[in-house]
Every structure is written in structure tokens, then in C-alpha cells.
Amino acid sequence: MSVLVFLEFNNNELKETSKQALTYANDINENVYAISELKISNDVVESLGKFGVSIFLINTVDFNENNILKCIIPTIEEFKINCIIFPKTNSFSYLSSILSTKLNFPLINNVNSVARFENKICLKSTIFSGKAEADIEIDSNSCILVLNKNIINSTSYKKSVIIKNLINKNDNSLSNNVVSLKKEKLEGDILLNDADIVVSAGRGLKGPENWKMIEKLAKILNAGTACSKPVSDAGWRPHHEHVGQTGLKISPNIYIAVGISGAIQHLAGVNSSKIIVVINNDPEAPFFKHADYGIIGDAFDVIPKFIDALK
Ligand SMILES: Cc1cc2nc3c(=O)[nH]c(=O)nc-3n(C[C@H](O)[C@H](O)[C@H](O)COP(=O)(O)OP(=O)(O)OC[C@H]3O[C@@H](n4cnc5c(N)ncnc54)[C@H](O)[C@@H]3O)c2cc1C
């Protein structure tokens, strides 16, 4: 097995989900290739050895369809890579599907366990919006795995990184049909997908003006902020904070839900969080059934007290 990991950075820092993907790859084969869409400095490339990168593929192109066909696929073929690993993020869902189609590699989403490579590739993945787990056997020597967050702890290595260039196959017959119209890069101190702790709030907060206390709590906890769908639909919070079936799916270590009822569509995006804390004034709120810790109370009383206690 030759393994390639697609990496993501935030402000030149390798994201935790990418570090976990590298550890996962090293468990399969210690000769790990890595690539990133972002241009990164030599210093940062060299530092990737401590996260488990053996060979870094220097990339100068966007991951649009044309470049995938011209550069990424020929490179994967040239280096005989047969296992491609993605940390689960929105930006990689398009790329993983297109590579699966073009290379004819089986694609497994929501991978939830370390893979065993025997005659077949055996692993577990979450299905039905995280409500069940499937045992998967892949009858193929190749695969693309999209990893759930926190299924493995990132480890440190002592590797020196070898740098290689992408193969560039300039073939005019390649498709130019798909054009990327708009790409929005989210930046910030704590991105939702990477956050270890997430403070999320719903319609129980009554209006956007009341999010100050949520932001304050998140800041003290070094947490990301999220919200329910009606909240982002109403424009109280930006759409990229919406979690659930139709929004982001996240798996932080701690998910704190304030004034959110716990509808099934919301749970679909957060039920793989390690610890769920629910704050709601209705003791019958469905979210309590899924909570590890619950506080029955008015958010406007509880959150300021919570903040004071943490201070
Ligand atoms: C096809 C489809 C897809 C959907 N996708 C998503 C999705 O991806 N994500 C999502 O979130 N929803 C989604 N929904 C909507 C979902 O069904 C719920 O309507 C939504 O999650 C409810 O949001 P909420 O909990 O913020 O609001 P509400 O249901 O109005 O709940 C507010 C909660 O706040 C509590 N509350 C009120 N005041 C206070 C207070 N002062 N202190 C403490 N608690 C208080 C109430 O007891 C209540 O439990 C989807 C729905 C459909 C049909």
C-alpha cells in the first residue's frame, strides 16, 4: 500500500484533523506521501516530518477538475499510490468523489475505525447520519478513505521530508467543462471542524443580540461557535456555523448545546461528539436523551453563571 494524505492548513498551521489523518496513514504504511492545495513555505514543509510526512508533493495548482486530471491523477498513477486519505471537511468532499470516479477507487466516507488490510480492506464507517455503524469490506487493492474526526490520536514522528514535484500532463483532450465559480476560504482562530470544544445555540436564545454571552463563553473555553438551522436561516448567525443533517457534521470532544431542542436533523450533525452538554429550560427537550450532562434552566441565568465559574 502506498498512501497519500491530503492536508489542510489554517494560517500556515497544519490542522489537527490532518495530523490525525497522517497518523492513520502511518499505521498503514510508514512511507506517507502528502499534498496540500495551499502554497506553503519550505519551513512548514520541513516541519511536516514530525507529523509523519515522508514525501511532500509540491503543488502549484488549485484542486479544480482540470488540474485534478492534468496533475493529481497522473501523479497518483506515477507514484503507484493506492490508498488516499482525506480528513473529513467540506472542501474535500468534492475532491474525494471526483478522484474516486476518475481512478475507479472505492470511496468510503465517514470512516470510524483503523483499517485492517488483509485480503480485503476491513473497516467501520458511520451511516444513517451517525445513528449506526457499518462493517465494510472492500474487495479491492485501492481505496479512498474519508476519516471522521477523533478516531485516532495524532502522534509525533522523527522523519525528514523528501520533496517531489507533481507530474504535469499537458493534454488538451482533458475536460475543461467544470469551472469553479467561487471559492470562499473560512479563516479564524478556531474553525468549527477543528474545534475541540464547540458552544452552539438555537432559537431558545430569542435573537442575534443574545449571542454575545455565547461568544464570551466560547472565548473562555477556546471553543468554536455553532448554531441550529433556523438560527442561520433567520440570519442571526452565518451559514457556515449551521450544524446538522443539512449543515456541517462535527465531532468535537465537547459539544455544548444552549437553547436547542435536539431535533433529529440537528443531532445528525453532532451526535458523534464525545461529550454532549445540554442547557435547556424545558426538561422534556429531546436533546436531554442524548446528553452526557444536562442543565435544566434558563440560558440567560445559566450562561452568565457558567462564565463566572470558569473565570
Ligand atoms: C429536511 C430538514 C433538514 C433539517 N436540517 C437541519 C439541520 O441541519 N440542523 C438543524 O439544527 N436543524 C435542521 N432542521 C430543523 C430541525 O427540524 C429543527 O426545526 C431545528 O433544529 C430546531 O432548532 P432549535 O432547536 O434552535 O429551535 P426550537 O425547536 O425552536 O427549540 C428551541 C429550544 O430552546 C429552548 N429554550 C427556549 N428558551 C430557552 C431559554 N431561555 N433557555 C434555555 N432554553 C430555552 C426550548 O425549550 C427549545 O427546546 C431540518 C429540518 C428539516 C425538515
Side-chain angles (χ1 to χ4, degrees):
M1 275 275 157
S2 215
V3 194
L4 169 66
V5 182
F6 280 80
L7 303 180
E8 274 197 329
F9 291 82
N10 184 33
N11 299 329
N12 258 335
E13 286 256 353
L14 186 63
K15 290 189 178 181
E16 178 56 31
T17 42
S18 294
K19 292 179 194 169
Q20 292 173 3
L22 285 169
T23 302
Y24 193 99
N26 273 272
D27 272 5
I28 297 170
N29 186 323
E30 59 185 29
N31 205 24
V32 172
Y33 288 82
I35 187 170
S36 148
E37 186 171 24
L38 206 72
K39 236 180 160 184
I40 47 178
S41 67
N42 285 352
D43 293 358
V44 177
V45 171
E46 275 166 28
S47 75
L48 294 176
K50 68 173 183 274
F51 302 114
V53 174
S54 316
I55 301 155
F56 190 78
L57 301 169
I58 292 287
N59 179 26
T60 49
V61 299
D62 285 345
F63 289 159
N64 61 37
E65 196 194 12
N66 208 27
N67 289 331
I68 291 169
L69 293 172
K70 254 180 23 184
C71 305
I72 313 288
I73 288 180
T75 305
I76 289 170
E77 288 171 345
E78 173 71 19
F79 295 122
K80 302 199 170 18
I81 286 160
N82 51 356
C83 177
I84 303 173
I85 296 184
F86 288 97
K88 190 164 117 191
T89 67
N90 281 3
S91 49
F92 283 150
S93 59
Y94 166 73
L95 184 57
S96 53
S97 351
I98 203 164
L99 284 179
S100 168
T101 318
K102 301 288 179 194
L103 291 162
N104 203 18
F105 283 14
L107 166 65
I108 315 298
N109 260 309
N110 305 316
V111 170
N112 214 26
S113 74
V114 174
R116 283 181 290 116
F117 291 83
E118 295 160 0
N119 291 337
K120 296 172 180 170
I121 305 167
C122 305
L123 45 79
K124 291 180 191 295
S125 83
T126 47
I127 52 171
F128 301 134
S129 300
K131 288 188 94 56
E133 200 172 52
D135 282 310
I136 310 258
E137 286 185 2
I138 310 169
D139 218 350
S140 161
N141 291 328
S142 333
C143 59
I144 299 180
L145 308 179
V146 183
L147 308 185
N148 281 350
K149 193 180 166 192
N150 288 337
I151 58 170
I152 196 163
N153 290 327
S154 53
T155 314
S156 53
Y157 300 84
K158 284 184 182 155
K159 292 189 182 184
S160 345
V161 182
I162 300 168
I163 293 175
K164 291 193 179 173
N165 289 320
L166 287 189
I167 312 286
N168 197 332
K169 197 170 160 194
N170 251 330
D171 180 347
N172 288 337
S173 67
L174 296 171
S175 150
N176 208 4
N177 293 342
V178 178
V179 178
S180 171
L181 294 178
K182 190 176 169 210
K183 239 181 187 181
E184 214 173 316
K185 189 166 179 305
L186 301 178
E187 298 221 15
D189 288 345
I190 302 162
L191 300 180
L192 204 40
N193 263 322
D194 305 324
D196 241 8
I197 305 177
V198 172
V199 183
S200 184
R203 221 156 26 185
L205 252 67
K206 323 284 185 226
E209 65 283 2
N210 296 323
W211 250 262
K212 284 193 192 86
M213 63 179 182
I214 297 297
E215 285 169 345
K216 203 166 172 186
L217 177 60
K219 194 155 189 224
I220 293 173
L221 291 170
N222 202 21
T225 49
C227 66
S228 65
K229 182 173 183 295
V231 162
S232 66
D233 285 349
W236 295 359
R237 298 297 291 176
H239 275 292
H240 64 78
E241 286 197 359
H242 151 206
V243 290
Q245 183 186 319
T246 45
L248 271 186
K249 308 209 174 18
I250 55 171
S251 324
N253 279 323
I254 305 177
Y255 182 73
I256 303 172
V258 186
I260 302 177
S261 57
I264 189 151
Q265 296 88 355
H266 184 85
L267 286 166
V270 302
N271 60 5
S272 56
S273 309
K274 276 206 179 134
I275 295 171
I276 296 180
V277 181
V278 171
I279 300 168
N280 197 304
N281 62 0
D282 175 7
E284 300 298 322
F287 223 149
F288 283 123
K289 291 202 182 95
H290 305 269
D292 298 284
Y293 300 94
I295 300 173
I296 300 168
D298 188 322
F300 298 94
D301 290 335
V302 175
I303 300 297
K305 283 184 185 149
F306 197 177
I307 292 171
D308 283 347
L310 286 166
K311 274 183 183 165

